[in-house]
Amino acid sequence: LQGNSHPHLSQFRRDGFLVLEQFFSTEECDSMRSQIQGIIEGMEVPPHCRTEFSTREEEQLQAQGSSDYFLTSGDKIRFFFEKGVLDKKGNFLIPKEKSISKIGHALHAHDPVFKQITHSSKVQELGRKLGLERPVVVQSMYIFKGLKDLQQPSLLAVTPHQDATFLHTEPLGRILGFWIALEDATQENGCLWFIPGSHTNGITRRMVRSPSGASTCVEFVGSEPAYDDSQFIPLPIKKGGLILIHGEVVHKSELNSSESSRHAFTFHVMEAKGTSWSKENWLQPTPELPFPSLYT
């Protein structure tokens, strides 16, 4: 990402992430939270769609991979559940609002509140400061980061990864994540952790669509290296703060060991100028939803 010589931007280029406190107002955060409450209240989950979401590789392959529900969610608003919240018949064991891991992947296109936030003038202005010429929005997610009273809290950690593993471009370096804290994110409730400067070494693992006829819809090519835990630094951030995330920076979050939730809204932007989106990515633009321009 180019951009002028603003000190923040040189910091972003050096570290691969940038924390911008108080980027969104309390009112904007609350409007997203109340909007998602309404979406959950109206949620109808067909039993065959009760896909459990997991970040562990094998479970990712079983749960997401065997499921068209995941693969075809790029242009829809769909629900992904924590492990252990559904019984064998697919009925909820706990209140449904506590059972959801995330909602994705097209809130930015189909919901007026999330669309307004994604395309807000301050986000567009930030894109221009970063030197983005033809940014398009590729996906969005509302992440709940469940509490420890769920049966299997150890599964609520997000293992170290690079976003470009899932959203691959040629060349690399064209994906940018916007991560918005809708509540204070602390070390106790699962804030993000980063390895500064880890965005300069390319990627070692890709999640790709499987050839037709395979037992899963996606598979991993390559493997994630073992990262040294001591290299990660935590980025606690207050409600309304924004973290910019380079597509190749290594980051993770630990499980939420607190009594408070940690809601976040996140979306990914691609610089489309001179960039090709991999046909092997799980997420593909569709005739119904070509990737919309960030600039309106």
Side-chain angles (χ1 to χ4, degrees), residues 51-54 56-73 80 166 207-220 282:
T51 310
E52 292 187 347
F53 175 72
S54 168
R56 304 255 168 122
E57 196 161 304
E58 309 72 31
E59 289 157 357
Q60 237 168 3
L61 294 177
Q62 288 164 6
Q64 295 177 347
S66 59
S67 164
D68 280 339
Y69 187 71
F70 170 71
L71 273 194
T72 56
S73 65
F80 300 89
F166 306 96
M207 187 172 90
V208 300
R209 288 181 170 238
S210 306
S212 60
S215 60
T216 58
C217 295
V218 291
E219 55 193 42
F220 285 95
W282 76 267

PDB file of all heavy atoms in Angstrom, residues 51-54 56-73 80 166 207-220 282:
ATOM      1  N   THR A  51     -24.388 -25.161  10.412  1.00  0.00           N
ATOM      2  CA  THR A  51     -22.969 -25.419  10.264  1.00  0.00           C
ATOM      3  C   THR A  51     -22.226 -24.919  11.486  1.00  0.00           C
ATOM      4  O   THR A  51     -22.365 -23.771  11.866  1.00  0.00           O
ATOM      5  CB  THR A  51     -22.439 -24.635   9.048  1.00  0.00           C
ATOM      6  OG1 THR A  51     -23.298 -24.905   7.951  1.00  0.00           O
ATOM      7  CG2 THR A  51     -21.032 -25.015   8.718  1.00  0.00           C
ATOM      8  N   GLU A  52     -21.406 -25.745  12.076  1.00  0.00           N
ATOM      9  CA  GLU A  52     -20.578 -25.279  13.186  1.00  0.00           C
ATOM     10  C   GLU A  52     -19.298 -24.701  12.628  1.00  0.00           C
ATOM     11  O   GLU A  52     -18.688 -25.259  11.722  1.00  0.00           O
ATOM     12  CB  GLU A  52     -20.272 -26.438  14.133  1.00  0.00           C
ATOM     13  CG  GLU A  52     -21.523 -26.906  14.856  1.00  0.00           C
ATOM     14  CD  GLU A  52     -21.220 -27.942  15.914  1.00  0.00           C
ATOM     15  OE1 GLU A  52     -20.089 -28.466  15.909  1.00  0.00           O
ATOM     16  OE2 GLU A  52     -22.103 -28.209  16.730  1.00  0.00           O
ATOM     17  N   PHE A  53     -18.899 -23.589  13.175  1.00  0.00           N
ATOM     18  CA  PHE A  53     -17.699 -22.912  12.690  1.00  0.00           C
ATOM     19  C   PHE A  53     -16.525 -23.248  13.601  1.00  0.00           C
ATOM     20  O   PHE A  53     -16.648 -23.257  14.806  1.00  0.00           O
ATOM     21  CB  PHE A  53     -17.932 -21.401  12.704  1.00  0.00           C
ATOM     22  CG  PHE A  53     -16.712 -20.616  12.338  1.00  0.00           C
ATOM     23  CD1 PHE A  53     -16.251 -20.590  11.036  1.00  0.00           C
ATOM     24  CD2 PHE A  53     -16.007 -19.920  13.300  1.00  0.00           C
ATOM     25  CE1 PHE A  53     -15.124 -19.875  10.704  1.00  0.00           C
ATOM     26  CE2 PHE A  53     -14.881 -19.210  12.967  1.00  0.00           C
ATOM     27  CZ  PHE A  53     -14.443 -19.179  11.665  1.00  0.00           C
ATOM     28  N   SER A  54     -15.380 -23.560  12.999  1.00  0.00           N
ATOM     29  CA  SER A  54     -14.198 -23.864  13.801  1.00  0.00           C
ATOM     30  C   SER A  54     -12.970 -23.317  13.102  1.00  0.00           C
ATOM     31  O   SER A  54     -12.925 -23.242  11.894  1.00  0.00           O
ATOM     32  CB  SER A  54     -14.050 -25.377  13.955  1.00  0.00           C
ATOM     33  OG  SER A  54     -12.782 -25.661  14.472  1.00  0.00           O
ATOM     34  N   ARG A  56      -9.965 -24.715  13.753  1.00  0.00           N
ATOM     35  CA  ARG A  56      -8.975 -25.785  13.671  1.00  0.00           C
ATOM     36  C   ARG A  56      -9.056 -26.415  12.296  1.00  0.00           C
ATOM     37  O   ARG A  56     -10.144 -26.694  11.806  1.00  0.00           O
ATOM     38  CB  ARG A  56      -9.266 -26.842  14.736  1.00  0.00           C
ATOM     39  CG  ARG A  56      -9.304 -26.249  16.131  1.00  0.00           C
ATOM     40  CD  ARG A  56      -8.048 -26.615  16.898  1.00  0.00           C
ATOM     41  NE  ARG A  56      -7.966 -25.835  18.109  1.00  0.00           N
ATOM     42  CZ  ARG A  56      -7.898 -26.391  19.314  1.00  0.00           C
ATOM     43  NH1 ARG A  56      -7.940 -27.701  19.444  1.00  0.00           N
ATOM     44  NH2 ARG A  56      -7.772 -25.626  20.370  1.00  0.00           N
ATOM     45  N   GLU A  57      -7.913 -26.719  11.725  1.00  0.00           N
ATOM     46  CA  GLU A  57      -7.890 -27.056  10.309  1.00  0.00           C
ATOM     47  C   GLU A  57      -8.809 -28.220   9.928  1.00  0.00           C
ATOM     48  O   GLU A  57      -9.628 -28.112   9.027  1.00  0.00           O
ATOM     49  CB  GLU A  57      -6.450 -27.355   9.878  1.00  0.00           C
ATOM     50  CG  GLU A  57      -6.285 -27.323   8.392  1.00  0.00           C
ATOM     51  CD  GLU A  57      -4.842 -27.170   7.957  1.00  0.00           C
ATOM     52  OE1 GLU A  57      -4.185 -26.197   8.379  1.00  0.00           O
ATOM     53  OE2 GLU A  57      -4.391 -28.030   7.213  1.00  0.00           O
ATOM     54  N   GLU A  58      -8.726 -29.347  10.646  1.00  0.00           N
ATOM     55  CA  GLU A  58      -9.532 -30.511  10.251  1.00  0.00           C
ATOM     56  C   GLU A  58     -11.015 -30.192  10.381  1.00  0.00           C
ATOM     57  O   GLU A  58     -11.819 -30.539   9.527  1.00  0.00           O
ATOM     58  CB  GLU A  58      -9.245 -31.744  11.124  1.00  0.00           C
ATOM     59  CG  GLU A  58      -7.792 -32.123  11.268  1.00  0.00           C
ATOM     60  CD  GLU A  58      -7.035 -31.139  12.149  1.00  0.00           C
ATOM     61  OE1 GLU A  58      -7.623 -30.560  13.078  1.00  0.00           O
ATOM     62  OE2 GLU A  58      -5.824 -30.944  11.858  1.00  0.00           O
ATOM     63  N   GLU A  59     -11.340 -29.511  11.469  1.00  0.00           N
ATOM     64  CA  GLU A  59     -12.743 -29.197  11.677  1.00  0.00           C
ATOM     65  C   GLU A  59     -13.225 -28.198  10.646  1.00  0.00           C
ATOM     66  O   GLU A  59     -14.347 -28.237  10.200  1.00  0.00           O
ATOM     67  CB  GLU A  59     -12.938 -28.652  13.087  1.00  0.00           C
ATOM     68  CG  GLU A  59     -12.775 -29.760  14.117  1.00  0.00           C
ATOM     69  CD  GLU A  59     -12.419 -29.230  15.481  1.00  0.00           C
ATOM     70  OE1 GLU A  59     -12.247 -28.007  15.613  1.00  0.00           O
ATOM     71  OE2 GLU A  59     -12.309 -30.043  16.405  1.00  0.00           O
ATOM     72  N   GLN A  60     -12.321 -27.289  10.253  1.00  0.00           N
ATOM     73  CA  GLN A  60     -12.664 -26.342   9.205  1.00  0.00           C
ATOM     74  C   GLN A  60     -13.024 -27.117   7.943  1.00  0.00           C
ATOM     75  O   GLN A  60     -13.999 -26.809   7.267  1.00  0.00           O
ATOM     76  CB  GLN A  60     -11.433 -25.471   8.902  1.00  0.00           C
ATOM     77  CG  GLN A  60     -11.688 -24.002   9.060  1.00  0.00           C
ATOM     78  CD  GLN A  60     -10.390 -23.217   9.047  1.00  0.00           C
ATOM     79  OE1 GLN A  60      -9.297 -23.746   8.868  1.00  0.00           O
ATOM     80  NE2 GLN A  60     -10.492 -21.941   9.218  1.00  0.00           N
ATOM     81  N   LEU A  61     -12.209 -28.118   7.648  1.00  0.00           N
ATOM     82  CA  LEU A  61     -12.450 -28.876   6.427  1.00  0.00           C
ATOM     83  C   LEU A  61     -13.764 -29.636   6.506  1.00  0.00           C
ATOM     84  O   LEU A  61     -14.542 -29.628   5.572  1.00  0.00           O
ATOM     85  CB  LEU A  61     -11.284 -29.845   6.177  1.00  0.00           C
ATOM     86  CG  LEU A  61      -9.956 -29.141   5.885  1.00  0.00           C
ATOM     87  CD1 LEU A  61      -8.840 -30.159   5.720  1.00  0.00           C
ATOM     88  CD2 LEU A  61     -10.053 -28.272   4.651  1.00  0.00           C
ATOM     89  N   GLN A  62     -14.028 -30.290   7.647  1.00  0.00           N
ATOM     90  CA  GLN A  62     -15.293 -31.018   7.773  1.00  0.00           C
ATOM     91  C   GLN A  62     -16.475 -30.072   7.767  1.00  0.00           C
ATOM     92  O   GLN A  62     -17.385 -30.205   6.962  1.00  0.00           O
ATOM     93  CB  GLN A  62     -15.338 -31.788   9.099  1.00  0.00           C
ATOM     94  CG  GLN A  62     -14.426 -32.983   9.145  1.00  0.00           C
ATOM     95  CD  GLN A  62     -14.228 -33.434  10.584  1.00  0.00           C
ATOM     96  OE1 GLN A  62     -14.849 -32.923  11.513  1.00  0.00           O
ATOM     97  NE2 GLN A  62     -13.349 -34.382  10.776  1.00  0.00           N
ATOM     98  N   ALA A  63     -16.427 -29.113   8.683  1.00  0.00           N
ATOM     99  CA  ALA A  63     -17.629 -28.322   8.933  1.00  0.00           C
ATOM    100  C   ALA A  63     -17.891 -27.335   7.810  1.00  0.00           C
ATOM    101  O   ALA A  63     -18.992 -27.241   7.297  1.00  0.00           O
ATOM    102  CB  ALA A  63     -17.493 -27.576  10.259  1.00  0.00           C
ATOM    103  N   GLN A  64     -16.849 -26.588   7.411  1.00  0.00           N
ATOM    104  CA  GLN A  64     -17.069 -25.615   6.355  1.00  0.00           C
ATOM    105  C   GLN A  64     -16.993 -26.302   5.001  1.00  0.00           C
ATOM    106  O   GLN A  64     -17.768 -26.020   4.105  1.00  0.00           O
ATOM    107  CB  GLN A  64     -16.000 -24.522   6.412  1.00  0.00           C
ATOM    108  CG  GLN A  64     -16.080 -23.694   7.668  1.00  0.00           C
ATOM    109  CD  GLN A  64     -14.964 -22.674   7.727  1.00  0.00           C
ATOM    110  OE1 GLN A  64     -14.024 -22.746   6.967  1.00  0.00           O
ATOM    111  NE2 GLN A  64     -15.069 -21.724   8.622  1.00  0.00           N
ATOM    112  N   GLY A  65     -16.037 -27.206   4.893  1.00  0.00           N
ATOM    113  CA  GLY A  65     -15.753 -27.755   3.580  1.00  0.00           C
ATOM    114  C   GLY A  65     -16.879 -28.596   3.040  1.00  0.00           C
ATOM    115  O   GLY A  65     -17.176 -28.549   1.851  1.00  0.00           O
ATOM    116  N   SER A  66     -17.534 -29.371   3.900  1.00  0.00           N
ATOM    117  CA  SER A  66     -18.589 -30.238   3.394  1.00  0.00           C
ATOM    118  C   SER A  66     -19.847 -29.424   3.168  1.00  0.00           C
ATOM    119  O   SER A  66     -20.893 -29.948   2.872  1.00  0.00           O
ATOM    120  CB  SER A  66     -18.860 -31.355   4.387  1.00  0.00           C
ATOM    121  OG  SER A  66     -19.240 -30.771   5.610  1.00  0.00           O
ATOM    122  N   SER A  67     -19.754 -28.138   3.335  1.00  0.00           N
ATOM    123  CA  SER A  67     -20.966 -27.341   3.395  1.00  0.00           C
ATOM    124  C   SER A  67     -21.031 -26.263   2.330  1.00  0.00           C
ATOM    125  O   SER A  67     -20.280 -25.305   2.354  1.00  0.00           O
ATOM    126  CB  SER A  67     -21.027 -26.698   4.765  1.00  0.00           C
ATOM    127  OG  SER A  67     -21.957 -25.665   4.744  1.00  0.00           O
ATOM    128  N   ASP A  68     -21.986 -26.420   1.420  1.00  0.00           N
ATOM    129  CA  ASP A  68     -22.238 -25.357   0.450  1.00  0.00           C
ATOM    130  C   ASP A  68     -22.710 -24.085   1.141  1.00  0.00           C
ATOM    131  O   ASP A  68     -22.599 -22.997   0.591  1.00  0.00           O
ATOM    132  CB  ASP A  68     -23.317 -25.792  -0.538  1.00  0.00           C
ATOM    133  CG  ASP A  68     -22.742 -26.692  -1.616  1.00  0.00           C
ATOM    134  OD1 ASP A  68     -21.521 -26.633  -1.821  1.00  0.00           O
ATOM    135  OD2 ASP A  68     -23.513 -27.448  -2.232  1.00  0.00           O
ATOM    136  N   TYR A  69     -23.232 -24.265   2.346  1.00  0.00           N
ATOM    137  CA  TYR A  69     -23.742 -23.115   3.101  1.00  0.00           C
ATOM    138  C   TYR A  69     -22.628 -22.090   3.285  1.00  0.00           C
ATOM    139  O   TYR A  69     -22.827 -20.888   3.114  1.00  0.00           O
ATOM    140  CB  TYR A  69     -24.250 -23.598   4.458  1.00  0.00           C
ATOM    141  CG  TYR A  69     -24.947 -22.548   5.287  1.00  0.00           C
ATOM    142  CD1 TYR A  69     -26.194 -22.070   4.927  1.00  0.00           C
ATOM    143  CD2 TYR A  69     -24.368 -22.067   6.457  1.00  0.00           C
ATOM    144  CE1 TYR A  69     -26.850 -21.116   5.710  1.00  0.00           C
ATOM    145  CE2 TYR A  69     -25.009 -21.125   7.239  1.00  0.00           C
ATOM    146  CZ  TYR A  69     -26.252 -20.654   6.861  1.00  0.00           C
ATOM    147  OH  TYR A  69     -26.895 -19.724   7.632  1.00  0.00           O
ATOM    148  N   PHE A  70     -21.432 -22.583   3.619  1.00  0.00           N
ATOM    149  CA  PHE A  70     -20.279 -21.699   3.772  1.00  0.00           C
ATOM    150  C   PHE A  70     -19.830 -21.157   2.412  1.00  0.00           C
ATOM    151  O   PHE A  70     -19.672 -19.957   2.218  1.00  0.00           O
ATOM    152  CB  PHE A  70     -19.143 -22.464   4.455  1.00  0.00           C
ATOM    153  CG  PHE A  70     -17.831 -21.730   4.448  1.00  0.00           C
ATOM    154  CD1 PHE A  70     -17.638 -20.613   5.240  1.00  0.00           C
ATOM    155  CD2 PHE A  70     -16.778 -22.153   3.645  1.00  0.00           C
ATOM    156  CE1 PHE A  70     -16.421 -19.926   5.236  1.00  0.00           C
ATOM    157  CE2 PHE A  70     -15.574 -21.478   3.639  1.00  0.00           C
ATOM    158  CZ  PHE A  70     -15.401 -20.361   4.432  1.00  0.00           C
ATOM    159  N   LEU A  71     -19.645 -22.057   1.450  1.00  0.00           N
ATOM    160  CA  LEU A  71     -19.094 -21.650   0.148  1.00  0.00           C
ATOM    161  C   LEU A  71     -19.972 -20.651  -0.579  1.00  0.00           C
ATOM    162  O   LEU A  71     -19.471 -19.863  -1.371  1.00  0.00           O
ATOM    163  CB  LEU A  71     -18.906 -22.875  -0.760  1.00  0.00           C
ATOM    164  CG  LEU A  71     -17.596 -23.640  -0.654  1.00  0.00           C
ATOM    165  CD1 LEU A  71     -17.449 -24.575  -1.845  1.00  0.00           C
ATOM    166  CD2 LEU A  71     -16.384 -22.726  -0.568  1.00  0.00           C
ATOM    167  N   THR A  72     -21.271 -20.715  -0.355  1.00  0.00           N
ATOM    168  CA  THR A  72     -22.156 -19.806  -1.084  1.00  0.00           C
ATOM    169  C   THR A  72     -22.622 -18.636  -0.220  1.00  0.00           C
ATOM    170  O   THR A  72     -23.615 -17.990  -0.523  1.00  0.00           O
ATOM    171  CB  THR A  72     -23.382 -20.572  -1.626  1.00  0.00           C
ATOM    172  OG1 THR A  72     -24.041 -21.219  -0.535  1.00  0.00           O
ATOM    173  CG2 THR A  72     -22.973 -21.614  -2.657  1.00  0.00           C
ATOM    174  N   SER A  73     -21.886 -18.339   0.848  1.00  0.00           N
ATOM    175  CA  SER A  73     -22.297 -17.260   1.759  1.00  0.00           C
ATOM    176  C   SER A  73     -21.709 -15.906   1.389  1.00  0.00           C
ATOM    177  O   SER A  73     -21.978 -14.910   2.051  1.00  0.00           O
ATOM    178  CB  SER A  73     -21.872 -17.599   3.198  1.00  0.00           C
ATOM    179  OG  SER A  73     -20.451 -17.632   3.296  1.00  0.00           O
ATOM    180  N   PHE A  80     -23.096 -18.618  11.425  1.00  0.00           N
ATOM    181  CA  PHE A  80     -22.150 -19.694  11.721  1.00  0.00           C
ATOM    182  C   PHE A  80     -22.073 -19.838  13.235  1.00  0.00           C
ATOM    183  O   PHE A  80     -21.990 -18.837  13.946  1.00  0.00           O
ATOM    184  CB  PHE A  80     -20.779 -19.378  11.115  1.00  0.00           C
ATOM    185  CG  PHE A  80     -20.865 -19.237   9.614  1.00  0.00           C
ATOM    186  CD1 PHE A  80     -21.144 -18.011   9.031  1.00  0.00           C
ATOM    187  CD2 PHE A  80     -20.720 -20.342   8.792  1.00  0.00           C
ATOM    188  CE1 PHE A  80     -21.271 -17.875   7.654  1.00  0.00           C
ATOM    189  CE2 PHE A  80     -20.831 -20.226   7.417  1.00  0.00           C
ATOM    190  CZ  PHE A  80     -21.112 -18.996   6.841  1.00  0.00           C
ATOM    191  N   PHE A 166      -6.783 -16.980   3.044  1.00  0.00           N
ATOM    192  CA  PHE A 166      -8.176 -17.208   2.657  1.00  0.00           C
ATOM    193  C   PHE A 166      -8.605 -16.314   1.500  1.00  0.00           C
ATOM    194  O   PHE A 166      -9.549 -16.641   0.783  1.00  0.00           O
ATOM    195  CB  PHE A 166      -9.089 -16.955   3.860  1.00  0.00           C
ATOM    196  CG  PHE A 166      -8.680 -17.766   5.064  1.00  0.00           C
ATOM    197  CD1 PHE A 166      -7.873 -17.212   6.058  1.00  0.00           C
ATOM    198  CD2 PHE A 166      -9.051 -19.092   5.185  1.00  0.00           C
ATOM    199  CE1 PHE A 166      -7.473 -17.969   7.153  1.00  0.00           C
ATOM    200  CE2 PHE A 166      -8.651 -19.860   6.272  1.00  0.00           C
ATOM    201  CZ  PHE A 166      -7.862 -19.296   7.254  1.00  0.00           C
ATOM    202  N   MET A 207      -6.040 -21.579   1.512  1.00  0.00           N
ATOM    203  CA  MET A 207      -7.260 -22.366   1.491  1.00  0.00           C
ATOM    204  C   MET A 207      -7.865 -22.208   0.107  1.00  0.00           C
ATOM    205  O   MET A 207      -8.136 -21.087  -0.332  1.00  0.00           O
ATOM    206  CB  MET A 207      -8.252 -21.887   2.556  1.00  0.00           C
ATOM    207  CG  MET A 207      -9.454 -22.803   2.671  1.00  0.00           C
ATOM    208  SD  MET A 207     -10.542 -22.384   4.072  1.00  0.00           S
ATOM    209  CE  MET A 207     -11.661 -21.235   3.288  1.00  0.00           C
ATOM    210  N   VAL A 208      -8.025 -23.339  -0.594  1.00  0.00           N
ATOM    211  CA  VAL A 208      -8.507 -23.292  -1.978  1.00  0.00           C
ATOM    212  C   VAL A 208      -9.743 -24.175  -2.141  1.00  0.00           C
ATOM    213  O   VAL A 208      -9.975 -25.099  -1.356  1.00  0.00           O
ATOM    214  CB  VAL A 208      -7.412 -23.743  -2.983  1.00  0.00           C
ATOM    215  CG1 VAL A 208      -6.187 -22.842  -2.891  1.00  0.00           C
ATOM    216  CG2 VAL A 208      -7.026 -25.200  -2.733  1.00  0.00           C
ATOM    217  N   ARG A 209     -10.512 -23.895  -3.168  1.00  0.00           N
ATOM    218  CA  ARG A 209     -11.640 -24.759  -3.510  1.00  0.00           C
ATOM    219  C   ARG A 209     -11.107 -26.098  -3.989  1.00  0.00           C
ATOM    220  O   ARG A 209     -10.174 -26.142  -4.782  1.00  0.00           O
ATOM    221  CB  ARG A 209     -12.460 -24.122  -4.635  1.00  0.00           C
ATOM    222  CG  ARG A 209     -13.252 -22.925  -4.176  1.00  0.00           C
ATOM    223  CD  ARG A 209     -14.083 -22.297  -5.297  1.00  0.00           C
ATOM    224  NE  ARG A 209     -14.975 -21.326  -4.673  1.00  0.00           N
ATOM    225  CZ  ARG A 209     -16.302 -21.364  -4.761  1.00  0.00           C
ATOM    226  NH1 ARG A 209     -16.902 -22.296  -5.470  1.00  0.00           N
ATOM    227  NH2 ARG A 209     -17.031 -20.453  -4.144  1.00  0.00           N
ATOM    228  N   SER A 210     -11.731 -27.172  -3.518  1.00  0.00           N
ATOM    229  CA  SER A 210     -11.291 -28.508  -3.941  1.00  0.00           C
ATOM    230  C   SER A 210     -11.770 -28.789  -5.358  1.00  0.00           C
ATOM    231  O   SER A 210     -12.767 -28.233  -5.795  1.00  0.00           O
ATOM    232  CB  SER A 210     -11.869 -29.578  -3.022  1.00  0.00           C
ATOM    233  OG  SER A 210     -11.559 -29.293  -1.692  1.00  0.00           O
ATOM    234  N   PRO A 211     -11.042 -29.689  -6.064  1.00  0.00           N
ATOM    235  CA  PRO A 211     -11.558 -30.119  -7.362  1.00  0.00           C
ATOM    236  C   PRO A 211     -12.915 -30.782  -7.168  1.00  0.00           C
ATOM    237  O   PRO A 211     -13.188 -31.349  -6.105  1.00  0.00           O
ATOM    238  CB  PRO A 211     -10.509 -31.125  -7.853  1.00  0.00           C
ATOM    239  CG  PRO A 211      -9.633 -31.419  -6.695  1.00  0.00           C
ATOM    240  CD  PRO A 211      -9.774 -30.300  -5.710  1.00  0.00           C
ATOM    241  N   SER A 212     -13.787 -30.694  -8.178  1.00  0.00           N
ATOM    242  CA  SER A 212     -15.132 -31.243  -7.988  1.00  0.00           C
ATOM    243  C   SER A 212     -15.037 -32.751  -7.752  1.00  0.00           C
ATOM    244  O   SER A 212     -14.153 -33.421  -8.276  1.00  0.00           O
ATOM    245  CB  SER A 212     -15.994 -30.963  -9.216  1.00  0.00           C
ATOM    246  OG  SER A 212     -15.405 -31.562 -10.338  1.00  0.00           O
ATOM    247  N   GLY A 213     -15.930 -33.237  -6.916  1.00  0.00           N
ATOM    248  CA  GLY A 213     -15.900 -34.658  -6.592  1.00  0.00           C
ATOM    249  C   GLY A 213     -15.084 -34.977  -5.345  1.00  0.00           C
ATOM    250  O   GLY A 213     -15.120 -36.097  -4.854  1.00  0.00           O
ATOM    251  N   ALA A 214     -14.358 -33.981  -4.821  1.00  0.00           N
ATOM    252  CA  ALA A 214     -13.597 -34.227  -3.583  1.00  0.00           C
ATOM    253  C   ALA A 214     -14.561 -34.311  -2.405  1.00  0.00           C
ATOM    254  O   ALA A 214     -15.699 -33.860  -2.493  1.00  0.00           O
ATOM    255  CB  ALA A 214     -12.581 -33.110  -3.367  1.00  0.00           C
ATOM    256  N   SER A 215     -14.075 -34.866  -1.276  1.00  0.00           N
ATOM    257  CA  SER A 215     -14.982 -35.054  -0.134  1.00  0.00           C
ATOM    258  C   SER A 215     -15.261 -33.745   0.601  1.00  0.00           C
ATOM    259  O   SER A 215     -16.240 -33.626   1.312  1.00  0.00           O
ATOM    260  CB  SER A 215     -14.399 -36.072   0.837  1.00  0.00           C
ATOM    261  OG  SER A 215     -13.146 -35.598   1.293  1.00  0.00           O
ATOM    262  N   THR A 216     -14.380 -32.769   0.451  1.00  0.00           N
ATOM    263  CA  THR A 216     -14.636 -31.462   1.058  1.00  0.00           C
ATOM    264  C   THR A 216     -14.641 -30.411  -0.043  1.00  0.00           C
ATOM    265  O   THR A 216     -14.072 -30.614  -1.114  1.00  0.00           O
ATOM    266  CB  THR A 216     -13.544 -31.095   2.085  1.00  0.00           C
ATOM    267  OG1 THR A 216     -12.280 -31.111   1.415  1.00  0.00           O
ATOM    268  CG2 THR A 216     -13.513 -32.069   3.252  1.00  0.00           C
ATOM    269  N   CYS A 217     -15.267 -29.276   0.228  1.00  0.00           N
ATOM    270  CA  CYS A 217     -15.353 -28.207  -0.776  1.00  0.00           C
ATOM    271  C   CYS A 217     -14.094 -27.353  -0.812  1.00  0.00           C
ATOM    272  O   CYS A 217     -13.818 -26.698  -1.804  1.00  0.00           O
ATOM    273  CB  CYS A 217     -16.534 -27.304  -0.486  1.00  0.00           C
ATOM    274  SG  CYS A 217     -18.104 -28.130  -0.647  1.00  0.00           S
ATOM    275  N   VAL A 218     -13.368 -27.323   0.315  1.00  0.00           N
ATOM    276  CA  VAL A 218     -12.116 -26.561   0.349  1.00  0.00           C
ATOM    277  C   VAL A 218     -11.020 -27.426   0.947  1.00  0.00           C
ATOM    278  O   VAL A 218     -11.286 -28.377   1.679  1.00  0.00           O
ATOM    279  CB  VAL A 218     -12.237 -25.261   1.188  1.00  0.00           C
ATOM    280  CG1 VAL A 218     -13.136 -24.245   0.522  1.00  0.00           C
ATOM    281  CG2 VAL A 218     -12.711 -25.558   2.603  1.00  0.00           C
ATOM    282  N   GLU A 219      -9.798 -27.085   0.613  1.00  0.00           N
ATOM    283  CA  GLU A 219      -8.659 -27.792   1.209  1.00  0.00           C
ATOM    284  C   GLU A 219      -7.529 -26.798   1.411  1.00  0.00           C
ATOM    285  O   GLU A 219      -7.524 -25.715   0.810  1.00  0.00           O
ATOM    286  CB  GLU A 219      -8.219 -28.959   0.317  1.00  0.00           C
ATOM    287  CG  GLU A 219      -7.901 -28.570  -1.104  1.00  0.00           C
ATOM    288  CD  GLU A 219      -7.789 -29.789  -2.039  1.00  0.00           C
ATOM    289  OE1 GLU A 219      -8.612 -30.701  -1.934  1.00  0.00           O
ATOM    290  OE2 GLU A 219      -6.856 -29.786  -2.858  1.00  0.00           O
ATOM    291  N   PHE A 220      -6.572 -27.180   2.269  1.00  0.00           N
ATOM    292  CA  PHE A 220      -5.421 -26.311   2.522  1.00  0.00           C
ATOM    293  C   PHE A 220      -4.224 -26.800   1.732  1.00  0.00           C
ATOM    294  O   PHE A 220      -3.959 -27.999   1.670  1.00  0.00           O
ATOM    295  CB  PHE A 220      -5.093 -26.270   4.018  1.00  0.00           C
ATOM    296  CG  PHE A 220      -6.057 -25.447   4.809  1.00  0.00           C
ATOM    297  CD1 PHE A 220      -7.143 -26.027   5.438  1.00  0.00           C
ATOM    298  CD2 PHE A 220      -5.896 -24.066   4.902  1.00  0.00           C
ATOM    299  CE1 PHE A 220      -8.052 -25.263   6.161  1.00  0.00           C
ATOM    300  CE2 PHE A 220      -6.793 -23.286   5.618  1.00  0.00           C
ATOM    301  CZ  PHE A 220      -7.873 -23.892   6.249  1.00  0.00           C
ATOM    302  N   TRP A 282     -12.202 -19.490  -1.811  1.00  0.00           N
ATOM    303  CA  TRP A 282     -13.559 -19.948  -1.487  1.00  0.00           C
ATOM    304  C   TRP A 282     -14.584 -18.889  -1.850  1.00  0.00           C
ATOM    305  O   TRP A 282     -15.685 -19.180  -2.289  1.00  0.00           O
ATOM    306  CB  TRP A 282     -13.673 -20.313   0.005  1.00  0.00           C
ATOM    307  CG  TRP A 282     -13.745 -19.132   0.937  1.00  0.00           C
ATOM    308  CD1 TRP A 282     -12.689 -18.531   1.576  1.00  0.00           C
ATOM    309  CD2 TRP A 282     -14.910 -18.389   1.301  1.00  0.00           C
ATOM    310  NE1 TRP A 282     -13.142 -17.467   2.318  1.00  0.00           N
ATOM    311  CE2 TRP A 282     -14.505 -17.351   2.167  1.00  0.00           C
ATOM    312  CE3 TRP A 282     -16.279 -18.508   0.986  1.00  0.00           C
ATOM    313  CZ2 TRP A 282     -15.379 -16.430   2.717  1.00  0.00           C
ATOM    314  CZ3 TRP A 282     -17.163 -17.581   1.534  1.00  0.00           C
ATOM    315  CH2 TRP A 282     -16.707 -16.557   2.390  1.00  0.00           C
TER     316      TRP A 282
END
